């Protein structure tokens, strides 16, 4: 088991990250994917190259989702996914046969893996490989192909045209969030080693004392510049980012978007007070400063697009034949747009790799999951694929300076459609009014409670204790059982509903000593009196303090809505054809026809039934269970695994 775990990590070297958002990965622990390719039971031929049953089963075992359902439409989907993945891998292997990879290159990569996994001993290495069903030779063949594919990708990416100024500017305009500076503050701090001293200095600062003078006289840091967080330039402190402060201190200081003084904050054995003189919100850098980054981003998108086109061409021209009928699959055209056909395997691939789908399978039976996937997830996936496949045509027709893969172009088009969206003061006010709870800080307090067996004792204690001496001692003497709850937050589970109400919403708190006593509260068969100190009521942040946060949130929502509406409108001009429902209906019919038929039920003959003319007819169904045969009435636009994709 230990060796198997090691090899699972070891085989991670075979991951092939080809384009952003698309990882064509060789599943760990899949046995011989590349070496000795003719060994095993033939299942498929991809452009004449054999893919074995063992390879397909290894792919299925390598993904727990694929083994979670073995009947019904989801099982049919999973078989489609396995076959399409195996075919894709075979196509990639064939496409890099001309790439030169020396024995020394392979040896160097294998040596790195062995050293990284502490497998330099030959026996340990051999044992680890055997635990994954590999030999040294087959593993080296895998590594050879991995290196070859990486080199092919790099070779293709070099052919991508560099980003133009127009493309860089468009990327900058449509992705302002990628070029925002961090928020900064202009401020000063006081740092001391004693909490009591810090509290005293905080009181003075909030009472109107000159903060810079307090820092110069007392702070252990930056006292020579009056506690200024940044160096003094032109008579004022330079703005600093949050990383310039300890984590806890930075969080508190950068929450003061309207300026002000923090509480005393402990960090690393020191006590900090920060005065925020000016808060500088995030701002988009000028294009002159951002141009280099924008150019790099677009160039990477264009490299991604080159690789995507290469893979698409490989798949479009592939000849796939099912040698083993058990691995024959249907891969119909699920949609068409801009002269391009979208295969059903593209839909299944996105479904299988969707994290929400994996979670769904763990919560509901496969049949129920299939209904939800077919009714909700697959329609969404198909619409997304149609947008991606159609985006390039729209960009070309509109002569827009956008670049990237299909999905990158679709996202860019949506951003282009939302480029003029603005947020008004009315939008901000409406959001604040409708979502006040989002900006509320709940009340808090330090609570001790005394529980009494009857109301009379509890009431007598509440009326008799004047706050002198220890609450714990006084309550115990009065016959109560004391629980120290410590710091609590309103609405939390620590106190229970009754005590929460008595402390944070009741108007009947009785002031005693440094705190207050709650009214007597029945809790179960006991009666409780709570002693409350450091009570802080719930507060709602003023609109001015959260205006920027709301603006960003509302802007993002409005842009998403406007962008998707624009993209849908533009895609509609291409008159896409969506065959999903026909494809799903044909699949359901085919899967039902392939399902094993239950044995026919028989009815015992009724005594005296004569010649049996009234006996029920036997179920003489002749349904076949041969795997992979298309159901009658299936989608006529579909391809099987024995045709071009």
């Amino acid at each position: 088991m230990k060796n198997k775990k090691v090899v699972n990590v070891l085989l991670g070297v075979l991951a092939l990250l080809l384009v952003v958002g698309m990882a064509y990965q060789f599943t760990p622990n899949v046995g011989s994917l590349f070496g000795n390719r003719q060994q095993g039971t033939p299942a498929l031929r991809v452009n004449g190259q054999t893919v074995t049953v063992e390879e397909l089963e290894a792919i299925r075992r390598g993904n727990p989702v694929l083994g979670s359902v073995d009947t019904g439409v989801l099982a049919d989907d999973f078989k489609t996914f396995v076959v399409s993945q195996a075919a894709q891998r075979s196509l990639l292997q064939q496409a890099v046969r001309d790439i030169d990879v020396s024995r020394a290159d392979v040896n160097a990569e294998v040596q790195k893996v062995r050293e990284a996994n502490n497998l330099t001993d030959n026996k340990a290495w051999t044992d680890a490989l055997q635990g994954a069903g590999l030999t040294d030779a087959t593993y080296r063949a895998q590594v050879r192909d991995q290196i070859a594919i990486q080199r092919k990708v790099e070779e293709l990416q070099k052919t991508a045209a560099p980003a133009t100024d127009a493309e860089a500017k468009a990327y900058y305009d449509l992705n302002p969030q990628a070029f925002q500076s961090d928020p900064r503050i202009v401020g000063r701090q006081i740092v001391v080693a004693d909490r009591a001293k810090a509290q005293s200095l905080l009181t003075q600062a909030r009472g109107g004392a000159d903060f810079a003078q307090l820092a110069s006289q007392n702070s252990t840091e930056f006292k020579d510049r009056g506690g200024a967080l940044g160096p003094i330039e032109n008579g004022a402190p330079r703005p600093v980012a949050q990383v310039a402060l300890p984590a806890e201190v930075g969080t508190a200081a950068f929450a003061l978007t309207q300026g002000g003084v923090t509480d005393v904050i402990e960090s690393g054995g020191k006590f900090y007070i920060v005065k925020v003189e000016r808060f500088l919100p995030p701002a988009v850098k000028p294009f002159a400063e951002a141009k280099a980054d924008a150019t790099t981003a677009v160039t990477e998108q264009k490299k991604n697009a080159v690789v995507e086109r290469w893979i698409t061409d490989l798949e479009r021209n592939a000849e796939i034949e099912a040698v083993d009928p058990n691995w024959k699959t249907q891969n119909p055209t699920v949609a068409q747009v801009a002269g391009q056909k979208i295969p059903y395997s593209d839909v299944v691939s996105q479904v299988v790799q969707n994290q929400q789908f994996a979670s769904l399978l763990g919560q509901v039976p496969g049949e129920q999951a299939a209904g939800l996937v077919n009714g909700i997830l697959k329609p969404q996936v198909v619409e997304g694929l149609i947008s991606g496949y159609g985006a390039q045509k729209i960009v070309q027709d509109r002569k827009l300076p956008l670049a990237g893969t299909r999905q990158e172009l679709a996202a860019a088009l949506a951003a282009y459609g939302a480029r003029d969206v603005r947020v008004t003061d009315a939008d901000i006010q409406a959001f604040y009014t409708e979502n006040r709870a989002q900006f509320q800080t709940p009340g808090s307090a330090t609570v001790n409670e005394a529980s009494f067996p009857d109301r009379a004792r509890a009431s007598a204690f509440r009326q008799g204790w004047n706050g002198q001496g220890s609450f714990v001692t006084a309550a115990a003497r009065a016959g109560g059982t004391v629980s120290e709850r410590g710091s609590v937050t309103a609405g939390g589970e620590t106190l229970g509903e009754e005590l929460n109400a008595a402390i944070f919403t009741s108007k009947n708190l009785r002031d005693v000593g440094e705190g207050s006593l709650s009214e007597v509260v029945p809790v179960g068969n006991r009666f409780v009196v709570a002693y409350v100190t450091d009570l802080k009521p719930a507060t709602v942040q003023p609109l001015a303090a959260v205006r920027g946060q709301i603006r960003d949130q509302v802007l993002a929502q409005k842009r998403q809505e406007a962008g998707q509406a624009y993209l849908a409108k533009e895609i509609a001009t291409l008159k896409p054809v969506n065959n999903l429902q026909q494809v799903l209906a044909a699949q359901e019919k085919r899967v039902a026809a392939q399902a094993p038929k239950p044995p026919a039920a028989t009815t015992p003959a009724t005594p005296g039934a004569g010649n049996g003319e009234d006996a029920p007819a036997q179920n003489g169904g002749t349904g076949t269970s041969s795997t992979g045969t298309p159901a009658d009435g299936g989608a006529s636009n579909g391809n099987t695994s024995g045709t071009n994709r």
Side-chain angles (χ1 to χ4, degrees):
M1 178 61 77
K2 182 177 180 181
N3 283 343
K4 192 169 184 179
K5 289 181 179 179
V6 169
V7 176
N8 283 339
V9 176
L10 174 152
L11 292 179
V13 72
L14 300 175
L16 305 174
L17 184 60
L18 298 185
V19 294
V20 174
M22 268 189 317
Y24 296 85
Q25 290 192 333
F26 293 87
T27 307
N29 196 19
V30 297
S32 177
L33 284 180
F34 311 108
N36 298 325
R37 293 182 181 118
Q38 301 303 316
Q39 295 182 357
T41 306
L44 308 171
R45 288 196 184 93
V46 181
N47 292 343
Q49 177 173 300
T50 296
V51 176
T52 67
V53 171
E54 290 76 12
E55 291 176 79
L56 294 170
E57 289 293 351
I59 294 174
R60 189 183 345 235
R61 290 195 305 272
N63 186 332
V65 169
L66 302 177
S68 60
V69 177
D70 55 12
T71 59
V73 296
L74 286 183
D76 189 69
D77 282 345
F78 293 165
K79 184 165 70 171
T80 296
F81 176 78
V82 169
V83 169
S84 67
Q85 291 292 294
Q88 185 183 82
R89 295 173 186 181
S90 179
L91 292 170
L92 291 173
Q93 294 158 8
Q94 296 170 45
V96 298
R97 285 174 177 167
D98 61 333
I99 301 297
D100 181 45
V101 179
S102 70
R103 183 184 298 272
D105 294 332
V106 174
N107 289 343
E109 193 63 41
V110 171
Q111 189 62 28
K112 290 179 186 176
V113 174
R114 293 181 65 171
E115 291 175 355
N117 291 278
N118 195 27
L119 294 171
T120 53
D121 177 75
N122 287 336
K123 185 176 185 309
W125 171 249
T126 302
D127 290 346
L129 290 174
Q130 287 180 346
L134 295 167
T135 66
D136 183 75
T138 56
Y139 181 73
R140 288 173 186 273
Q142 294 178 24
V143 172
R144 184 268 166 205
D145 278 354
Q146 181 239 352
I147 296 172
I149 293 173
Q150 288 177 336
R151 290 180 179 176
K152 180 66 174 180
V153 168
E154 292 168 358
E155 179 182 293
L156 288 166
Q157 289 178 332
K158 290 177 181 177
T159 67
T164 66
D165 287 350
E167 289 168 338
K169 182 62 164 64
Y171 185 89
Y172 167 83
D173 290 338
L174 299 180
N175 297 275
Q177 70 283 352
F179 304 102
Q180 280 192 335
S181 62
D182 293 328
R184 296 172 298 160
I185 59 172
V186 175
R188 300 175 186 272
Q189 70 177 8
I190 297 173
V191 185
V192 295
D194 180 74
R195 180 185 291 276
K197 182 176 182 179
Q199 289 290 353
S200 174
L201 291 169
L202 176 62
T203 300
Q204 294 177 58
R206 288 181 171 169
D210 184 280
F211 195 94
Q213 186 175 353
L214 288 177
S216 296
Q217 295 171 350
N218 298 279
S219 183
T220 59
E221 298 181 17
F222 304 150
K223 64 189 307 178
D224 58 328
R225 58 192 194 205
L229 296 173
I232 303 297
E233 293 181 350
N234 300 320
R238 181 194 298 171
V240 298
Q242 189 166 337
V243 294
L245 296 166
E248 306 91 337
V249 181
T251 298
F254 276 75
L256 300 176
T257 57
Q258 301 302 305
V261 179
T262 67
D263 291 329
V264 173
I265 303 157
E266 182 178 4
S267 179
K270 300 177 183 179
F271 299 91
Y272 292 76
I273 306 167
V274 177
K275 180 178 182 180
V276 178
E277 299 175 351
R278 189 155 51 102
F279 180 84
L280 305 174
V284 178
K285 300 175 184 177
F287 178 63
E289 295 180 18
K291 182 179 179 180
D293 289 339
T295 300
T296 298
V298 174
T299 299
E300 288 302 311
Q301 286 184 331
K302 298 178 88 167
K303 290 179 179 179
N304 294 342
V306 168
V307 177
E308 182 181 68
R309 286 194 294 272
W310 172 62
I311 294 172
T312 299
D313 289 342
L314 291 178
E315 294 176 336
R316 182 184 294 121
N317 299 318
E319 291 284 346
I320 304 172
E321 175 190 0
V323 179
D324 183 342
N326 289 315
W327 286 99
K328 188 174 183 180
T329 60
Q330 300 292 314
N331 191 19
T333 296
V334 74
Q336 298 183 62
V337 60
Q340 300 183 82
K341 296 180 179 181
I342 303 174
Y344 182 60
S345 56
D346 278 12
V347 180
V348 172
S349 179
Q350 289 201 19
V351 169
V352 170
Q353 298 177 68
N354 184 288
Q355 292 183 347
Q356 293 180 339
F357 171 64
S359 176
L360 177 66
L361 282 181
Q363 299 174 30
V364 301
E367 184 176 344
Q368 184 178 349
L372 294 171
V373 169
N374 284 357
I376 300 174
L377 183 55
K378 285 181 182 176
Q380 293 175 349
V381 168
V382 172
E383 289 299 327
L385 287 169
I386 289 173
S387 295
Y389 273 78
Q392 186 174 27
K393 173 68 172 170
I394 294 170
V395 168
Q396 290 173 346
D397 289 349
R398 304 293 185 273
K399 294 181 172 56
L400 300 175
L402 307 176
T405 63
R406 290 188 288 263
Q407 293 306 314
E408 287 171 340
L409 285 175
L413 274 174
Y416 177 80
R419 65 194 183 282
D420 295 327
V421 168
R422 299 291 182 268
V423 175
T424 66
D425 288 342
D427 293 330
I428 295 174
Q429 181 64 60
F431 186 92
Y432 180 74
T433 301
E434 295 168 7
N435 299 275
R436 287 180 68 87
Q438 180 177 328
F439 308 107
Q440 179 172 306
T441 301
S444 63
T446 300
V447 177
N448 293 328
E449 66 178 69
S451 171
F452 296 87
D454 56 71
R455 182 182 289 276
R457 292 191 195 183
S459 297
F461 172 73
R462 183 177 188 271
Q463 294 300 323
W465 190 58
N466 60 6
Q468 299 298 313
S470 166
F471 169 80
V472 173
T473 302
R477 286 176 180 171
T481 301
V482 179
S483 298
E484 299 184 46
R485 300 299 185 187
S487 180
V488 299
T489 300
E493 298 179 358
T494 303
L495 299 177
E497 184 177 346
E498 298 88 350
L499 270 180
N500 260 300
I503 293 171
F504 294 107
T505 63
S506 173
K507 304 298 183 182
N508 296 323
L509 290 175
R510 173 174 173 257
D511 293 338
V512 292
E514 297 181 354
S516 305
L517 289 177
S518 74
E519 57 193 330
V520 177
V521 179
V523 178
N525 60 356
R526 305 278 292 182
F527 296 86
V528 173
V529 177
Y531 179 50
V532 185
T533 57
D534 299 323
L535 177 62
K536 296 179 181 178
T539 58
V540 177
Q541 292 176 278
L543 176 58
V546 294
R547 176 177 290 274
Q549 175 186 338
I550 293 176
R551 179 191 173 281
D552 292 344
Q553 196 168 340
V554 173
L555 181 60
Q557 181 178 339
K558 292 182 70 173
R559 279 179 173 168
Q560 181 181 20
E561 293 170 354
Q564 290 304 312
Y566 172 83
L567 181 60
K569 180 180 177 181
E570 290 296 308
I571 291 294
T573 65
L574 301 177
K575 295 181 171 53
V577 177
N578 187 337
N579 299 318
L580 176 63
Q581 295 309 315
Q582 297 94 308
V583 169
L584 295 181
Q587 180 193 41
E588 185 175 355
K589 183 178 179 181
R590 183 179 71 252
V591 170
Q594 294 169 356
K597 300 295 187 258
T602 58
T603 303
T606 303
N611 60 7
E613 291 177 355
D614 296 329
Q618 299 297 315
N619 182 353
T622 59
T624 177
S625 62
S626 61
T627 304
T629 305
D632 292 340
S636 61
N637 64 333
N639 298 327
T640 69
S641 60
T643 63
N644 284 344
R645 187 174 177 189

